[in-house]
Amino acid sequence: MERPIRIYPSLLAADFGSLESEVRRCVAAGADGIHLDVMDGHFVPNLSMGQDIVRMARHTVGVHMNVHLMVSNPHAHIESFVSAGADTILIHVEADSDLRATLAAIHREGIRAGIAINPGTDASEALKYLDAVDEILCMTVHPGFGGQEFIDSAVKTVSDVRLGSVEHGKRIDIGVDGGLNRDRVRDCAAAGANIFDVGTHLFRARDMAREIKRLHELARKTS
Ligand code: DX5
Ligand code: ZN
């Protein structure tokens, strides 16, 4: 069965002065969910948003909340992000945590669990957790900041993850995150991605609805 294509606007690129209407704008434009970047100033050098923003988004719209934890100790925050309304929680393979225990804790809460890997981390590091995840997120920029240049070598990681999951007969979602635009969505879809976290490109688009539709078409045609 085909994995569904999902376009998730990454809220980090939104206007933080009007986050509630930005969340509504994404959904009105046809977003399949919202990608929320949580940074602790330690795992990555930047600070971004926390549980209250997830809760606001959850109360504002009904779509999927895809929460990307770029924090050193994700285990400590699982319960609070679940009660804020997360539908998927992604933790980094590079985080200093008992990843299996954390993935199990996420599943115990009844939501989807995922592993994220940085560019430069081998796909095999994520594939170790294949049995315990619903999504593997391949970072296509170094995490920490929006608006960065896409890293080409990350496309190979996407195809390695896809190959590994097919070999093991495990149907997982494969996400990509960072520096995406039309061409990059097409490249990543061809390599096996089906979830696209898109920040700057969507929030700066003249017509977000048209752009989401276009990205869907490009991903569908090439996947
Ligand atoms: C980077 C974040 C990404 C990023 C995507 O650490 O995880 O979600 O904000 O935004 P753009 O599309 O602007 O690179
Ligand atoms: Zn992200």
Side-chain angles (χ1 to χ4, degrees), residues 34-213:
I34 306 286
H35 181 81
L36 300 109
D37 287 311
V38 178
M39 304 178 187
D40 66 353
H42 185 259
F43 180 75
V44 289
N46 199 8
L47 292 160
S48 57
M49 55 186 90
Q51 292 86 345
D52 287 345
I53 304 290
V54 176
R55 190 171 296 109
M56 174 282 295
R58 169 83 297 149
H59 286 164
T60 306
V61 291
V63 296
H64 194 94
M65 294 298 153
N66 186 261
V67 176
H68 178 193
L69 296 186
M70 284 159 277
V71 305
S72 294
N73 179 15
H75 205 102
H77 304 289
I78 300 307
E79 254 183 72
S80 59
F81 277 103
V82 171
S83 63
D87 295 301
T88 297
I89 294 182
L90 297 143
I91 59 171
H92 266 265
V93 79
E94 302 86 1
D96 189 16
S97 177
D98 179 344
L99 298 180
R100 282 209 170 264
T102 308
L103 293 168
I106 298 170
H107 276 151
R108 261 199 312 277
E109 297 285 346
I111 67 160
R112 289 161 39 95
I115 282 281
I117 52 170
N118 286 342
T121 299
D122 202 83
S124 60
E125 294 299 317
L127 289 166
K128 282 181 197 164
Y129 301 95
L130 198 55
D131 61 302
V133 296
D134 306 289
E135 176 180 346
I136 291 179
L137 176 63
C138 303
M139 293 305 298
T140 44
V141 296
H142 293 291
F145 299 91
Q148 300 182 74
E149 196 66 30
F150 182 90
I151 297 173
D152 289 319
S153 58
V155 177
K156 163 92 166 57
T157 312
V158 175
S159 47
D160 289 349
V161 167
R162 178 67 178 146
L163 210 66
S165 62
V166 169
E167 265 169 20
H168 286 86
K170 172 95 195 267
R171 183 176 178 272
I172 51 156
D173 289 314
I174 301 177
V176 282
D177 183 13
L180 296 173
N181 55 27
R182 290 182 183 187
D183 291 343
R184 301 323 194 172
V185 163
R186 197 190 298 120
D187 296 344
C188 292
N194 68 303
I195 294 182
F196 304 88
D197 306 324
V198 190
T200 309
H201 180 71
L202 279 182
F203 283 94
R204 297 244 176 103
R206 211 171 315 133
D207 182 344
M208 191 192 277
R210 216 190 97 195
E211 202 51 40
I212 289 179
K213 194 162 167 268

